[in-house]
Amino acid sequence: PAFNEVDVLASRYLDNYATGAIDRLDIVYMKFQTISSQSISVETLLPLGSIGSEGAGQSGGASQARDTTTPAGGHSVRERALYEFLPSPFSILEEVVPTSFKVRLFKCFLDSAVSEQIARMVAMKSATENADELIRFLSTRYNRARQNRITSELMDVIGGVEALS
């Protein structure tokens, strides 16, 4: 699969999720583990897992306060630390979350494609081994039949020679 094809599909799912047309997206696919092992996997792609809610509602250039405990008295001290986000955290999430979803969906497509190719490779290897075994079996039968015919013809010739003498 090409990423631009999956991108179109993922954008449609994201739009449907944003408008409320769908409330959940589960994907079932063959997950590639090793050459000899693929398994069916079910993943929930939408809604996305929690990314962390700390500072998610703040806009760019906002300050963030945190509580720390002093080791001596165990009292809480209020510190003010200024963090400047450029671009804003909201715009970063607006970019990262859809891209993350698209990449996860693309990974599912790639895993499924790899599993299909591995299954084809294993099937072709098995077919080749079966064909080789069949060729050996038929060659052995052919050689035995040819040997029996040659032996039979030799016996006829020897029988003819003895009949003349």
Side-chain angles (χ1 to χ4, degrees), residues 58 61-68 77-83:
Q58 297 178 358
S63 64
Q64 182 176 355
R66 66 180 174 175
D67 288 332
T68 59
V77 177
R78 188 96 168 136
E79 293 180 10
R80 299 284 294 171
L82 292 176
Y83 298 104

Side-chain angles (χ1 to χ4, degrees), residues 65-157:
R66 66 180 174 175
D67 288 332
T68 59
T69 305
T70 58
H75 292 57
S76 180
V77 177
R78 188 96 168 136
E79 293 180 10
R80 299 284 294 171
L82 292 176
Y83 298 104
E84 186 173 341
F85 291 94
L86 292 174
S88 70
F90 180 74
S91 64
I92 292 172
L93 283 177
E94 243 179 13
E95 180 84 19
V96 169
V97 170
T99 303
S100 172
F101 169 74
K102 290 174 183 179
V103 167
R104 287 180 61 201
L105 184 62
F106 186 56
K107 179 200 158 294
C108 295
F109 274 89
L110 289 178
D111 269 352
S112 188
V114 167
S115 293
E116 178 185 355
Q117 293 301 322
I118 294 296
R120 288 177 188 220
M121 184 183 77
V122 168
M124 290 305 295
K125 182 180 179 192
S126 177
T128 301
E129 288 171 356
N130 288 341
D132 288 343
E133 185 179 323
L134 185 60
I135 287 170
R136 277 193 303 275
F137 173 75
L138 291 176
S139 294
T140 303
R141 276 187 95 182
Y142 171 76
N143 288 337
R144 282 186 186 157
R146 188 171 57 100
Q147 246 177 351
N148 286 339
R149 188 166 180 210
I150 291 171
T151 303
S152 174
E153 287 178 7
L154 282 175
M155 295 300 277
D156 287 345
V157 169

